[in-house]
């Protein structure tokens, strides 16, 4: 059983638990398959979609203020994203007219491809505006988690606003870019997240909870009650004050909770 530590050795505790995590006492999930990138599928995408859609995608970004060289790169990556989307996104999701509309389109193969490229570009534009990131960062995010292409654009905005109100001092843009699955949370997951957030703030008074969840947002959606009880037994309030918690590194606190949690390291990105 882990022994209790004095406040003077508080920093050493994080390192001890970190070593425990690395030694495999908490099981890691299976390695993730390599995520395709726009560069890797660009040639295949252009063969399938053709120069017409590439030119349309380039024009889309020129109209948004991109330079010719930027638009050329963004156009290629947007077509590559549409190529990936048609292989991952559920059938029919990208078959309806995109947000904002592009008029009456034919239902033939060419019309469907045009809709797909346009919708991918518009979603990237939404991500860019809501998260204050670059279009290339938005494309990279969608490549890493193409399910985001199935999300209604209003849902993207709602989820970002919810995260910002829940974690006011966290860098939400960075958090979502690194964990785009946050954009597809269900209502039940949001409720669980608020309950866990309340438990963390109450159990670890003074701790940089927003920073902790920026490091590992999936803590919000797990049952941490037993891990937090063990942590408070290890670091009781009589030894570790709220001030000591406030001066601790968010990543070390996350590792401490993970080391004591049966869930172990996060498995969802």
């Amino acid at each position: 059983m882990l022994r209790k530590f004095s406040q003077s050795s508080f920093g050493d505790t994080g390192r001890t638990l970190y070593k425990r995590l690395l030694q495999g006492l908490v099981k890691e999930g299976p390695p993730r398959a390599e995520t395709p990138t726009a560069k890797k599928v660009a040639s295949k995408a252009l063969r399938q979609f053709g120069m017409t859609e590439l030119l349309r995608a380039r024009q889309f970004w020129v109209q948004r203020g991109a330079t010719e060289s930027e638009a050329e790169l963004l156009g290629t990556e947007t077509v590559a994203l549409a190529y990936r989307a048609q292989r991952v996104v559920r059938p029919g999701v990208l078959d309806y007219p995109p947000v904002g509309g592009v008029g009456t389109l034919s239902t033939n193969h060419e019309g469907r491809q045009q809709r797909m490229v346009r919708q991918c570009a518009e979603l990237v534009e939404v991500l860019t505006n809501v998260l204050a990131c670059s279009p290339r960062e938005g494309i990279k995010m969608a490549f890493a988690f193409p399910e985001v292409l199935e999300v209604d654009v209003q849902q993207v905005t709602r989820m970002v606003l919810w995260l910002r109100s829940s974690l006011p001092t966290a860098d939400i843009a960075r958090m979502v870019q690194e964990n785009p699955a946050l954009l597809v949370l269900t209502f039940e997951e949001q409720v669980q997240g608020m309950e866990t957030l309340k438990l963390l703030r109450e159990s670890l008074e003074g701790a940089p909870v927003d920073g902790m969840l920026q490091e590992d947002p999936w803590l919000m959606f797990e049952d941490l009650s037993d891990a937090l009880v063990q942590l408070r037994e290890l670091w009781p309030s009589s030894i570790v004050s709220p001030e000591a918690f406030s001066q601790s590194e968010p990543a070390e606190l996350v590792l401490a909770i993970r080391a004591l949690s049966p869930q172990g390291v996060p498995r969802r990105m």
Side-chain angles (χ1 to χ4, degrees):
M1 183 174 181
L2 292 173
R3 64 183 179 87
K4 295 181 179 179
F5 291 81
S6 66
Q7 187 165 330
S8 61
S9 63
F10 184 59
D12 293 335
T13 307
R15 286 183 285 274
T16 299
L17 291 171
Y18 179 65
K19 290 178 182 178
R20 180 182 175 191
L21 185 66
L22 294 181
Q23 287 169 352
L25 297 181
V26 179
K27 294 182 179 179
E28 295 192 11
R32 295 192 302 271
E34 183 180 2
T35 301
T37 63
K39 184 177 181 180
K40 290 180 180 179
V41 303
S43 59
K44 293 180 181 178
L46 292 177
R47 282 198 298 271
Q48 176 173 325
F49 284 83
M51 285 300 299
T52 299
E53 296 311 320
L54 175 60
L55 291 174
R56 285 190 177 121
R58 287 178 182 173
Q59 185 62 24
F60 178 94
W61 293 113
V62 168
Q63 291 171 351
R64 269 79 180 162
T67 65
E68 287 295 332
S69 59
E70 290 171 341
E72 182 175 357
L73 181 58
L74 287 170
T76 300
E77 292 188 343
T78 301
V79 172
L81 179 59
Y83 176 85
R84 173 157 166 75
Q86 70 177 357
R87 285 160 169 71
V88 179
V89 175
R90 288 178 294 111
V93 171
L94 293 177
D95 285 345
Y96 53 83
V99 175
V102 292
T104 302
L105 298 174
S106 65
T107 57
N108 60 19
H109 181 64
E110 182 180 354
R112 182 173 183 272
Q113 287 192 330
Q114 181 180 347
R115 289 196 297 273
M116 292 181 68
V117 173
R118 176 81 183 195
Q119 283 183 258
C120 287
E122 289 188 338
L123 176 73
V124 170
E125 183 182 25
V126 169
L127 293 174
T128 298
N129 293 335
V130 173
L131 299 175
C133 64
S134 70
R136 294 199 70 195
E137 289 172 327
I139 292 172
K140 182 179 179 181
M141 189 189 318
F143 254 90
F145 189 76
E147 289 87 344
V148 75
L149 296 168
E150 301 182 9
V151 181
D152 181 85
V153 290
Q154 286 79 19
Q155 167 75 359
V156 172
T157 303
R158 284 196 299 269
M159 291 308 307
V160 171
L161 291 176
W162 176 73
L163 288 167
R164 283 179 174 157
S165 63
S166 302
L167 307 169
T169 65
D171 184 346
I172 300 302
R174 195 193 97 187
M175 183 189 299
V176 174
Q177 287 178 48
E178 294 176 351
N179 301 274
L182 290 169
L183 295 175
V184 297
L185 295 175
T186 64
F187 174 75
E188 291 74 17
E189 286 175 320
Q190 291 180 61
V191 171
Q192 182 183 1
M194 293 304 297
E195 292 174 351
T196 304
L197 180 59
K198 182 174 182 289
L199 180 63
L200 281 167
R201 295 196 193 283
E202 291 176 348
S203 301
L204 304 177
E205 184 182 357
V209 173
D210 289 10
M212 292 167 58
L213 295 175
Q214 181 172 309
E215 292 287 336
D216 184 359
W218 303 113
L219 279 178
M220 277 200 295
F221 313 106
E222 298 177 10
D223 183 1
L224 302 178
S225 52
D226 290 343
L228 289 172
V229 168
Q230 293 182 62
L231 193 65
R232 291 313 310 195
E233 290 176 352
L234 183 66
W235 298 331
S237 56
S238 59
I239 297 177
V240 181
S241 66
E243 182 181 3
F245 270 129
S246 69
Q247 296 174 359
S248 58
E249 289 292 328
E252 287 190 354
L253 291 175
V254 169
L255 288 168
I257 293 174
R258 283 291 180 193
L260 297 168
S261 170
Q263 286 89 356
V265 297
R267 301 188 182 189
R268 179 182 178 185
M269 294 296 291

